[in-house]
Amino acid sequence: MAVSGPEPRPLLYVVRRAHFSAAHRLYNPRFSEEWNRRTFGKCASPHYHGHNYTLEVVVAGSPHPETGYVIDLAKLAEIIDEVIVQKCDHRNLNTEVDFLHGLIPSTENLAVAFWRQLEPRIVQGRLYAIRLYETERNYVEYRGEYDAH
Ligand code: NI
């Protein structure tokens, strides 16, 4: 005989997109100029270069019964602006952003760093993924996972 339980709650993924422009260079100071040029090509150019980044933040959860929202997108927009955009927009990612110090600002490393800034601030729903586009064709997705291998 079927036991009736609480109705299953639909799980949704809500996405907010933000944009910022920033300068960086890919350079590992532990290696020679020659190694950096060979490894990173023009991305290692000493005087930096810019990208128009797109950041997508995905929050998972069920709609709250009183609002119908997983998360208020206006609030999510504020969090992204405060935590990421205001700190990175029109900045040099190698030198000017406190939480990026010591990192090679590849899209991968930026995605992990952004996750760590955003995750504790998302209290409605849960942070599910972030996607960081360095160009229209190149992007990285991070879901807060660790490689067990
Ligand atoms: Ni670049």
Side-chain angles (χ1 to χ4, degrees), residues 11-51:
L11 176 62
L12 295 99
Y13 300 87
V14 174
V15 186
R16 174 72 188 187
R17 189 177 297 141
H19 303 280
F20 64 94
S21 302
H24 78 164
R25 76 184 288 217
L26 300 182
Y27 185 82
N28 187 333
R30 292 170 54 219
F31 295 96
S32 65
E33 294 291 329
E34 159 58 21
W35 182 92
N36 276 280
R37 261 198 308 276
R38 195 161 16 92
T39 303
F40 297 121
K42 62 185 181 180
C43 295
S45 296
H47 299 295
Y48 304 94
H49 62 275
H51 293 284

Short mmCIF file of all heavy atoms in Angstrom, two decimals, residues 11-51:
data_model
loop_
_atom_site.label_atom_id
_atom_site.label_comp_id
_atom_site.label_asym_id
_atom_site.label_seq_id
_atom_site.Cartn_x
_atom_site.Cartn_y
_atom_site.Cartn_z
N LEU A 11 13.27 21.00 -7.73
CA LEU A 11 14.60 21.60 -7.58
C LEU A 11 14.90 22.40 -8.84
O LEU A 11 14.86 21.86 -9.95
CB LEU A 11 15.64 20.50 -7.38
CG LEU A 11 17.10 20.95 -7.29
CD1 LEU A 11 17.34 21.86 -6.09
CD2 LEU A 11 18.01 19.72 -7.21
N LEU A 12 15.19 23.68 -8.66
CA LEU A 12 15.45 24.56 -9.81
C LEU A 12 16.82 25.19 -9.71
O LEU A 12 17.42 25.25 -8.64
CB LEU A 12 14.38 25.66 -9.87
CG LEU A 12 12.96 25.16 -10.13
CD1 LEU A 12 12.19 25.06 -8.85
CD2 LEU A 12 12.26 26.03 -11.13
N TYR A 13 17.28 25.68 -10.84
CA TYR A 13 18.58 26.32 -10.94
C TYR A 13 18.37 27.74 -11.46
O TYR A 13 17.96 27.92 -12.61
CB TYR A 13 19.50 25.52 -11.87
CG TYR A 13 19.71 24.11 -11.37
CD1 TYR A 13 18.82 23.09 -11.71
CD2 TYR A 13 20.77 23.81 -10.52
CE1 TYR A 13 18.99 21.80 -11.22
CE2 TYR A 13 20.94 22.53 -10.03
CZ TYR A 13 20.06 21.53 -10.39
OH TYR A 13 20.23 20.26 -9.88
N VAL A 14 18.62 28.70 -10.63
CA VAL A 14 18.38 30.10 -10.96
C VAL A 14 19.74 30.72 -11.31
O VAL A 14 20.73 30.49 -10.61
CB VAL A 14 17.74 30.82 -9.76
CG1 VAL A 14 17.62 32.30 -10.01
CG2 VAL A 14 16.37 30.21 -9.47
N VAL A 15 19.77 31.49 -12.39
CA VAL A 15 21.05 32.00 -12.89
C VAL A 15 21.03 33.52 -12.98
O VAL A 15 20.07 34.10 -13.50
CB VAL A 15 21.36 31.42 -14.29
CG1 VAL A 15 22.76 31.84 -14.74
CG2 VAL A 15 21.22 29.90 -14.31
N ARG A 16 22.08 34.14 -12.47
CA ARG A 16 22.28 35.57 -12.65
C ARG A 16 23.60 35.79 -13.38
O ARG A 16 24.62 35.17 -13.05
CB ARG A 16 22.32 36.28 -11.29
CG ARG A 16 22.67 37.74 -11.35
CD ARG A 16 21.58 38.61 -11.93
NE ARG A 16 22.06 39.98 -12.13
CZ ARG A 16 21.30 40.99 -12.49
NH1 ARG A 16 20.00 40.82 -12.69
NH2 ARG A 16 21.82 42.18 -12.65
N ARG A 17 23.58 36.67 -14.37
CA ARG A 17 24.78 36.95 -15.17
C ARG A 17 25.28 38.35 -14.83
O ARG A 17 24.47 39.28 -14.67
CB ARG A 17 24.40 36.86 -16.65
CG ARG A 17 25.56 36.93 -17.61
CD ARG A 17 25.09 36.76 -19.05
NE ARG A 17 24.50 35.45 -19.27
CZ ARG A 17 23.44 35.21 -20.03
NH1 ARG A 17 22.83 36.19 -20.65
NH2 ARG A 17 22.99 33.99 -20.19
N ALA A 18 26.59 38.48 -14.73
CA ALA A 18 27.21 39.78 -14.47
C ALA A 18 28.41 39.94 -15.40
O ALA A 18 28.91 38.95 -15.96
CB ALA A 18 27.65 39.88 -13.02
N HIS A 19 28.82 41.18 -15.58
CA HIS A 19 29.95 41.48 -16.47
C HIS A 19 30.96 42.36 -15.75
O HIS A 19 30.58 43.20 -14.94
CB HIS A 19 29.46 42.23 -17.72
CG HIS A 19 28.42 41.50 -18.49
ND1 HIS A 19 28.73 40.48 -19.36
CD2 HIS A 19 27.08 41.63 -18.51
CE1 HIS A 19 27.61 40.01 -19.89
NE2 HIS A 19 26.59 40.68 -19.39
N PHE A 20 32.23 42.15 -16.06
CA PHE A 20 33.24 43.10 -15.64
C PHE A 20 34.41 43.04 -16.61
O PHE A 20 34.59 42.04 -17.32
CB PHE A 20 33.71 42.85 -14.19
CG PHE A 20 34.40 41.53 -13.98
CD1 PHE A 20 35.77 41.44 -14.06
CD2 PHE A 20 33.67 40.39 -13.72
CE1 PHE A 20 36.42 40.22 -13.87
CE2 PHE A 20 34.30 39.16 -13.53
CZ PHE A 20 35.68 39.08 -13.61
N SER A 21 35.17 44.11 -16.65
CA SER A 21 36.36 44.18 -17.50
C SER A 21 37.57 44.31 -16.61
O SER A 21 37.54 45.07 -15.64
CB SER A 21 36.27 45.39 -18.44
OG SER A 21 35.10 45.30 -19.23
N ALA A 22 38.62 43.56 -16.94
CA ALA A 22 39.80 43.60 -16.08
C ALA A 22 41.04 43.24 -16.88
O ALA A 22 40.97 42.63 -17.94
CB ALA A 22 39.63 42.63 -14.90
N ALA A 23 42.19 43.64 -16.32
CA ALA A 23 43.48 43.33 -16.92
C ALA A 23 44.13 42.18 -16.16
O ALA A 23 43.89 41.99 -14.97
CB ALA A 23 44.38 44.55 -16.87
N HIS A 24 44.94 41.41 -16.88
CA HIS A 24 45.76 40.41 -16.21
C HIS A 24 46.92 40.02 -17.12
O HIS A 24 47.01 40.45 -18.26
CB HIS A 24 44.94 39.17 -15.81
CG HIS A 24 44.64 38.22 -16.93
ND1 HIS A 24 44.20 36.92 -16.73
CD2 HIS A 24 44.72 38.35 -18.28
CE1 HIS A 24 44.03 36.31 -17.89
NE2 HIS A 24 44.32 37.15 -18.84
N ARG A 25 47.82 39.24 -16.57
CA ARG A 25 48.77 38.50 -17.39
C ARG A 25 48.97 37.16 -16.73
O ARG A 25 48.82 37.02 -15.51
CB ARG A 25 50.11 39.25 -17.51
CG ARG A 25 50.96 39.17 -16.25
CD ARG A 25 52.23 39.98 -16.33
NE ARG A 25 53.23 39.40 -17.21
CZ ARG A 25 54.56 39.42 -16.97
NH1 ARG A 25 55.03 40.01 -15.87
NH2 ARG A 25 55.40 38.90 -17.80
N LEU A 26 49.26 36.16 -17.57
CA LEU A 26 49.55 34.83 -17.05
C LEU A 26 51.06 34.72 -16.91
O LEU A 26 51.80 34.85 -17.89
CB LEU A 26 48.99 33.74 -17.97
CG LEU A 26 47.46 33.81 -18.16
CD1 LEU A 26 46.98 32.66 -19.04
CD2 LEU A 26 46.73 33.78 -16.82
N TYR A 27 51.52 34.54 -15.69
CA TYR A 27 52.95 34.57 -15.41
C TYR A 27 53.20 33.82 -14.12
O TYR A 27 52.55 34.08 -13.11
CB TYR A 27 53.44 36.01 -15.28
CG TYR A 27 54.93 36.13 -15.11
CD1 TYR A 27 55.77 36.10 -16.23
CD2 TYR A 27 55.48 36.26 -13.84
CE1 TYR A 27 57.14 36.20 -16.08
CE2 TYR A 27 56.86 36.34 -13.69
CZ TYR A 27 57.68 36.31 -14.80
OH TYR A 27 59.03 36.40 -14.65
N ASN A 28 54.15 32.87 -14.18
CA ASN A 28 54.52 32.14 -12.96
C ASN A 28 55.92 32.58 -12.55
O ASN A 28 56.90 32.25 -13.21
CB ASN A 28 54.48 30.63 -13.20
CG ASN A 28 54.69 29.85 -11.92
OD1 ASN A 28 55.33 30.33 -10.98
ND2 ASN A 28 54.14 28.65 -11.87
N PRO A 29 56.03 33.35 -11.46
CA PRO A 29 57.32 33.94 -11.08
C PRO A 29 58.36 32.89 -10.67
O PRO A 29 59.54 33.23 -10.53
CB PRO A 29 56.96 34.85 -9.90
CG PRO A 29 55.68 34.32 -9.36
CD PRO A 29 54.95 33.71 -10.52
N ARG A 30 57.94 31.64 -10.46
CA ARG A 30 58.90 30.59 -10.10
C ARG A 30 59.73 30.14 -11.29
O ARG A 30 60.70 29.42 -11.14
CB ARG A 30 58.18 29.40 -9.49
CG ARG A 30 57.56 29.70 -8.11
CD ARG A 30 56.66 28.57 -7.64
NE ARG A 30 57.36 27.30 -7.65
CZ ARG A 30 56.81 26.13 -8.02
NH1 ARG A 30 55.56 26.10 -8.41
NH2 ARG A 30 57.52 25.03 -7.99
N PHE A 31 59.31 30.55 -12.50
CA PHE A 31 60.01 30.10 -13.71
C PHE A 31 60.56 31.30 -14.48
O PHE A 31 60.21 32.45 -14.22
CB PHE A 31 59.08 29.26 -14.58
CG PHE A 31 58.66 27.97 -13.93
CD1 PHE A 31 57.45 27.88 -13.24
CD2 PHE A 31 59.49 26.84 -13.97
CE1 PHE A 31 57.07 26.69 -12.62
CE2 PHE A 31 59.11 25.65 -13.35
CZ PHE A 31 57.90 25.58 -12.68
N SER A 32 61.39 30.98 -15.47
CA SER A 32 62.09 32.03 -16.23
C SER A 32 61.13 32.75 -17.18
O SER A 32 60.04 32.27 -17.49
CB SER A 32 63.21 31.39 -17.06
OG SER A 32 62.62 30.53 -18.03
N GLU A 33 61.60 33.90 -17.66
CA GLU A 33 60.86 34.62 -18.71
C GLU A 33 60.61 33.71 -19.90
O GLU A 33 59.52 33.69 -20.47
CB GLU A 33 61.66 35.85 -19.18
CG GLU A 33 61.84 36.93 -18.12
CD GLU A 33 60.55 37.64 -17.77
OE1 GLU A 33 59.66 37.76 -18.64
OE2 GLU A 33 60.41 38.05 -16.60
N GLU A 34 61.67 32.98 -20.26
CA GLU A 34 61.60 32.10 -21.43
C GLU A 34 60.51 31.03 -21.22
O GLU A 34 59.68 30.77 -22.11
CB GLU A 34 62.99 31.47 -21.66
CG GLU A 34 63.04 30.18 -22.46
CD GLU A 34 62.46 30.29 -23.86
OE1 GLU A 34 62.35 31.41 -24.39
OE2 GLU A 34 62.07 29.23 -24.42
N TRP A 35 60.49 30.41 -20.04
CA TRP A 35 59.46 29.39 -19.74
C TRP A 35 58.07 30.01 -19.83
O TRP A 35 57.14 29.43 -20.38
CB TRP A 35 59.70 28.80 -18.36
CG TRP A 35 58.72 27.71 -17.99
CD1 TRP A 35 58.88 26.36 -18.18
CD2 TRP A 35 57.43 27.88 -17.37
NE1 TRP A 35 57.77 25.68 -17.73
CE2 TRP A 35 56.86 26.59 -17.22
CE3 TRP A 35 56.71 28.99 -16.94
CZ2 TRP A 35 55.60 26.38 -16.66
CZ3 TRP A 35 55.44 28.78 -16.39
CH2 TRP A 35 54.91 27.49 -16.25
N ASN A 36 57.92 31.20 -19.26
CA ASN A 36 56.61 31.86 -19.27
C ASN A 36 56.15 32.19 -20.69
O ASN A 36 54.99 32.00 -21.03
CB ASN A 36 56.63 33.11 -18.39
CG ASN A 36 56.39 32.77 -16.92
OD1 ASN A 36 55.27 32.57 -16.49
ND2 ASN A 36 57.47 32.67 -16.15
N ARG A 37 57.10 32.67 -21.50
CA ARG A 37 56.75 32.98 -22.90
C ARG A 37 56.34 31.71 -23.64
O ARG A 37 55.37 31.70 -24.40
CB ARG A 37 57.92 33.64 -23.62
CG ARG A 37 57.81 35.17 -23.70
CD ARG A 37 58.74 35.73 -24.77
NE ARG A 37 60.11 35.26 -24.61
CZ ARG A 37 61.00 35.84 -23.78
NH1 ARG A 37 60.67 36.89 -23.08
NH2 ARG A 37 62.23 35.34 -23.69
N ARG A 38 57.09 30.65 -23.39
CA ARG A 38 56.81 29.39 -24.08
C ARG A 38 55.46 28.82 -23.61
O ARG A 38 54.69 28.28 -24.39
CB ARG A 38 57.94 28.40 -23.78
CG ARG A 38 57.99 27.20 -24.66
CD ARG A 38 59.35 26.47 -24.68
NE ARG A 38 60.27 26.80 -23.61
CZ ARG A 38 60.36 26.14 -22.44
NH1 ARG A 38 59.57 25.12 -22.19
NH2 ARG A 38 61.24 26.50 -21.53
N THR A 39 55.17 28.94 -22.35
CA THR A 39 53.97 28.32 -21.77
C THR A 39 52.71 29.15 -22.04
O THR A 39 51.67 28.60 -22.41
CB THR A 39 54.15 28.16 -20.24
OG1 THR A 39 55.32 27.39 -20.02
CG2 THR A 39 52.95 27.47 -19.62
N PHE A 40 52.80 30.45 -21.86
CA PHE A 40 51.60 31.29 -21.90
C PHE A 40 51.51 32.16 -23.16
O PHE A 40 50.49 32.83 -23.36
CB PHE A 40 51.57 32.21 -20.67
CG PHE A 40 51.45 31.47 -19.37
CD1 PHE A 40 52.42 31.62 -18.39
CD2 PHE A 40 50.38 30.63 -19.11
CE1 PHE A 40 52.32 30.95 -17.17
CE2 PHE A 40 50.26 29.96 -17.90
CZ PHE A 40 51.25 30.12 -16.93
N GLY A 41 52.57 32.16 -24.00
CA GLY A 41 52.53 32.95 -25.24
C GLY A 41 52.26 34.40 -24.94
O GLY A 41 52.78 34.97 -23.97
N LYS A 42 51.40 35.01 -25.76
CA LYS A 42 51.16 36.44 -25.59
C LYS A 42 50.40 36.76 -24.31
O LYS A 42 50.38 37.91 -23.86
CB LYS A 42 50.44 37.03 -26.81
CG LYS A 42 49.07 36.45 -27.07
CD LYS A 42 48.49 37.02 -28.36
CE LYS A 42 47.09 36.44 -28.59
NZ LYS A 42 46.45 36.93 -29.80
N CYS A 43 49.79 35.74 -23.69
CA CYS A 43 49.12 35.97 -22.39
C CYS A 43 50.10 36.34 -21.30
O CYS A 43 49.69 36.83 -20.24
CB CYS A 43 48.33 34.72 -21.98
SG CYS A 43 46.97 34.37 -23.10
N ALA A 44 51.42 36.11 -21.54
CA ALA A 44 52.44 36.47 -20.54
C ALA A 44 53.01 37.87 -20.79
O ALA A 44 53.88 38.31 -20.04
CB ALA A 44 53.58 35.45 -20.56
N SER A 45 52.53 38.58 -21.79
CA SER A 45 53.07 39.91 -22.12
C SER A 45 53.20 40.77 -20.87
O SER A 45 52.24 40.87 -20.08
CB SER A 45 52.16 40.63 -23.12
OG SER A 45 52.14 39.91 -24.34
N PRO A 46 54.36 41.39 -20.68
CA PRO A 46 54.65 42.05 -19.39
C PRO A 46 53.72 43.20 -19.05
O PRO A 46 53.56 43.52 -17.87
CB PRO A 46 56.11 42.52 -19.54
CG PRO A 46 56.41 42.46 -20.99
CD PRO A 46 55.53 41.41 -21.58
N HIS A 47 53.15 43.84 -20.04
CA HIS A 47 52.33 45.03 -19.73
C HIS A 47 50.84 44.74 -19.65
O HIS A 47 50.02 45.64 -19.76
CB HIS A 47 52.64 46.15 -20.72
CG HIS A 47 54.07 46.57 -20.66
ND1 HIS A 47 54.62 47.16 -19.54
CD2 HIS A 47 55.08 46.42 -21.54
CE1 HIS A 47 55.90 47.38 -19.75
NE2 HIS A 47 56.21 46.94 -20.95
N TYR A 48 50.51 43.46 -19.47
CA TYR A 48 49.13 43.06 -19.22
C TYR A 48 48.25 43.22 -20.47
O TYR A 48 48.65 43.80 -21.47
CB TYR A 48 48.52 43.83 -18.03
CG TYR A 48 49.33 43.69 -16.76
CD1 TYR A 48 50.30 44.64 -16.42
CD2 TYR A 48 49.15 42.60 -15.92
CE1 TYR A 48 51.07 44.49 -15.27
CE2 TYR A 48 49.91 42.46 -14.76
CZ TYR A 48 50.87 43.41 -14.45
OH TYR A 48 51.62 43.29 -13.31
N HIS A 49 47.06 42.64 -20.40
CA HIS A 49 46.06 42.78 -21.46
C HIS A 49 44.69 42.63 -20.80
O HIS A 49 44.60 42.21 -19.64
CB HIS A 49 46.26 41.73 -22.56
CG HIS A 49 46.10 40.32 -22.07
ND1 HIS A 49 47.15 39.63 -21.48
CD2 HIS A 49 45.03 39.51 -22.01
CE1 HIS A 49 46.72 38.43 -21.11
NE2 HIS A 49 45.43 38.32 -21.42
N GLY A 50 43.63 42.95 -21.53
CA GLY A 50 42.31 42.99 -20.91
C GLY A 50 41.35 41.95 -21.45
O GLY A 50 41.54 41.41 -22.56
N HIS A 51 40.34 41.65 -20.64
CA HIS A 51 39.23 40.81 -21.07
C HIS A 51 37.93 41.43 -20.59
O HIS A 51 37.89 42.07 -19.53
CB HIS A 51 39.32 39.40 -20.48
CG HIS A 51 40.47 38.61 -20.99
ND1 HIS A 51 40.50 38.05 -22.24
CD2 HIS A 51 41.65 38.30 -20.41
CE1 HIS A 51 41.65 37.41 -22.41
NE2 HIS A 51 42.38 37.55 -21.32
#
